[in-house]
Amino acid sequence: ISIFSPGGDYLEADRLYTRSMAIQGPEVVAPFAHRINLRLVWRGPAAALRLVERAPAGQAGVEFYRVKLLLALGRREEARATFDAMEPAPLAETAGDIASSDGQRLALLMALGREELAQRRAEEVRTNALQEFERGNRGPSVRRNFIQAEITLGHREAAVAALEDWRRQNERMKNSFHRLNGFPSTASFLYAALGDADAAIALLRQPEARGLDLRYDPAFAPIRSDPRFQELMRQQEAWMKALPDPIDP
């Protein structure tokens, strides 16, 4: 799979990936997010939510997916209650832990209409990210959290400047796989949150961004009505349906 992916033949990579799942079993090979997104395309949010409910204890990302899927189903009060059960969670003490939760929490708080709480948390996330910058840590996870915090706080110019700085650093990478890995998908969420459809859609057209949940993820709500985004959504669903559903019925 790694041979095909850097060269851009993602469909061939996915065929190999699906075959590996058939051989070893989806519970062993398939990342949780990939399985959820396939189920969303094949069978919709209700079926994806059932898959989330059956996830093994301790599966990373389960609660975040549960909130997103409840929102997609219009079950807003349940989504809020699920999120509240995750709170109050202490802010992570390491950059890796920060990245895995705090930026997502801010985005979900905004989607749930909890702007005041989101802004309070954003101040903390921003402070932690700046401390990581001072330590020399400008990894993708820290950058994403910093930019998400700036967006939540209404600091549009700072968020745009940070995204452009990240883009320039990304373009300087010599390895094509490293240039692609992470930036198009992550930055597309952030540009969408800023309402910059041109930048978000340009990134979503890159092969690495395939497989994102375009139809239901609240992060894309600001640009979902754009005709170009609608076309991308149709293309992505056709592409994903070219793959077999690897999940049990």
Side-chain angles (χ1 to χ4, degrees):
I1 295 171
S2 64
I3 291 172
F4 286 104
S5 297
D9 194 343
Y10 281 80
L11 185 56
E12 181 62 21
D14 270 302
R15 285 174 179 153
L16 292 173
Y17 181 78
T18 304
R19 183 180 177 190
S20 70
M21 285 192 286
I23 294 170
Q24 300 187 47
E27 296 297 333
V28 176
V29 179
F32 188 65
H34 183 82
R35 295 167 59 209
I36 293 297
N37 288 339
L38 273 176
R39 178 53 63 90
L40 268 171
V41 169
W42 275 90
R43 307 189 187 184
L49 182 60
R50 289 194 294 272
L51 183 62
V52 167
E53 300 292 353
R54 297 201 306 268
Q59 170 69 62
V62 166
E63 297 305 320
F64 290 111
Y65 272 102
R66 184 176 284 117
V67 174
K68 288 181 181 181
L69 292 168
L70 287 169
L71 282 172
L73 291 165
R75 293 156 61 178
R76 195 175 186 83
E77 292 307 313
E78 289 180 69
R80 287 186 172 187
T82 300
F83 187 89
D84 289 344
M86 298 160 56
E87 296 284 305
L91 288 173
E93 297 179 356
T94 69
D97 289 339
I98 288 172
S100 67
S101 60
D102 287 345
Q104 294 180 66
R105 286 175 188 273
L106 293 180
L108 282 179
L109 279 169
M110 295 299 288
L112 289 166
R114 302 276 181 83
E115 288 86 356
E116 186 177 340
L117 177 57
Q119 289 180 357
R120 290 203 304 270
R121 293 295 299 267
E123 291 285 2
E124 300 174 65
V125 173
R126 182 178 182 276
T127 298
N128 283 355
L130 287 171
Q131 290 173 350
E132 291 300 320
F133 289 160
E134 290 175 3
R135 297 186 184 107
N137 182 1
R138 290 185 173 271
S141 300
V142 181
R143 285 179 183 269
R144 175 180 180 174
N145 282 347
F146 175 74
I147 296 166
Q148 183 67 60
E150 295 286 41
I151 292 170
T152 304
L153 292 167
H155 302 163
R156 181 182 179 85
E157 290 184 5
V160 170
L163 270 166
E164 289 308 305
D165 179 66
W166 187 5
R167 183 192 294 275
R168 287 191 295 270
Q169 185 203 47
N170 195 65
E171 290 172 348
R172 289 195 295 269
M173 293 182 178
K174 295 181 180 180
N175 184 289
S176 61
F177 180 71
H178 289 158
R179 283 199 304 274
L180 286 171
N181 189 26
F183 180 77
S185 55
T186 302
S188 68
F189 287 109
L190 299 169
Y191 278 118
L194 289 164
D196 189 340
D198 291 345
I201 289 168
L203 290 171
L204 288 169
R205 285 175 172 156
Q206 297 190 27
E208 193 273 339
R210 287 179 178 173
L212 297 179
D213 171 21
L214 303 184
R215 183 172 294 278
Y216 299 106
D217 196 309
F220 292 118
I223 66 170
R224 191 164 283 129
S225 61
D226 189 293
R228 297 167 298 171
F229 187 88
Q230 294 279 322
E231 180 60 25
L232 272 177
M233 195 160 55
R234 287 190 290 270
Q235 290 174 0
Q236 185 215 57
E237 291 179 357
W239 170 75
M240 292 186 77
K241 283 194 173 183
L243 306 173
D245 183 356
I247 314 302
D248 55 294

